Amino acid sequence: METDALFAPARQIKAEADALLAASGLLDTLGTFGRVVFAGSYSLNLMVNRDIDVYVINPAHTRHSVIGALNVLIGQAFFGGYMFYEWDAVGMAGLPTGYYVGLKTLPPEPRWKFDCWFVHADLSTRTELIGRVAAATNDQRALILGIKRAAHERDLVVLGFTIYEAVLRGGVTSVAAFFRAARFVTGV
């Protein structure tokens, strides 16, 4: 597998993310509502999509306080699209339990999406997996990027978490094997 063909675009998308985070001041704003922790591909330098997952951890989060955070973000007028979901009482498989605030940039391209999860506690199972992905071999990281790119090219929505599990725990050793194993393609 040509690893630089996989890693170079990931590095470019990460550089775009860093610039956007700096320009938006998003981390400073979110930091006023809790401890900010990145999850997923941004934190692992394995970006294929322009999508960043971030946890805002605070045991005192309520529906009201998170709507307040959303209002602050809307008032800053940096992003053009805003979403709110209440997953505090009802979770969805593969997603954190908490309050979700989605932020989107407007055209011109490229468009970015920020998934901000306002959660009450650190998600130890997720952070443990992130640690294992960070410690993965270069071949495993290249395979993860290959699967992500193939899913993106096929317009499939596959949770990164699912891909990490498949490569690190599920015994998947090729892109083709991932897509043959239907149990891994759960986010479609």
Side-chain angles (χ1 to χ4, degrees):
M1 185 179 310
E2 180 71 33
T3 58
D4 195 49
L6 293 171
F7 287 106
R11 285 190 300 270
Q12 174 58 39
I13 293 171
K14 175 84 162 46
E16 288 177 30
D18 290 338
L20 187 59
L21 285 167
S24 69
L26 179 61
L27 299 182
D28 290 335
T29 301
L30 292 177
T32 64
F33 297 97
R35 183 169 58 94
V36 176
V37 177
F38 286 103
S41 61
Y42 175 83
S43 64
L44 297 165
N45 294 315
L46 293 172
M47 296 189 80
V48 171
N49 299 311
R50 286 170 172 84
D51 181 332
I52 295 178
D53 295 297
V54 62
Y55 298 147
V56 183
I57 304 166
N58 184 338
H61 286 313
T62 64
R63 184 177 201 277
H64 181 74
S65 69
V66 176
I67 290 172
L70 176 60
N71 285 332
V72 168
L73 291 163
I74 292 170
Q76 291 174 336
F78 185 86
F79 296 95
Y82 304 88
M83 297 171 284
F84 174 83
Y85 290 95
E86 189 168 355
W87 294 108
D88 196 40
V90 181
M92 184 173 159
L95 298 176
T97 299
Y99 301 93
Y100 170 87
V101 171
L103 308 169
K104 290 188 177 187
T105 60
L106 293 177
E109 300 297 333
R111 292 187 66 178
W112 279 85
K113 180 172 70 93
F114 291 82
D115 298 318
C116 305
W117 293 95
F118 290 75
V119 296
H120 295 113
D122 194 1
L123 304 171
S124 59
T125 57
R126 286 179 179 271
T127 54
E128 183 268 332
L129 179 60
I130 296 299
R132 284 191 299 113
V133 176
T137 67
N138 194 53
D139 287 343
Q140 289 172 317
R141 292 171 62 80
L143 177 56
I144 289 167
L145 273 175
I147 294 168
K148 286 178 154 207
R149 173 148 318 152
H152 179 74
E153 290 169 353
R154 296 173 185 182
D155 288 326
L156 295 175
V157 176
V158 182
L159 299 174
F161 205 76
T162 302
I163 297 170
Y164 307 150
E165 284 284 343
V167 171
L168 297 175
R169 288 188 179 158
V172 168
T173 57
S174 72
V175 173
F178 178 84
F179 289 102
R180 277 195 308 267
R183 71 180 190 271
F184 294 124
V185 186
T186 58
V188 179

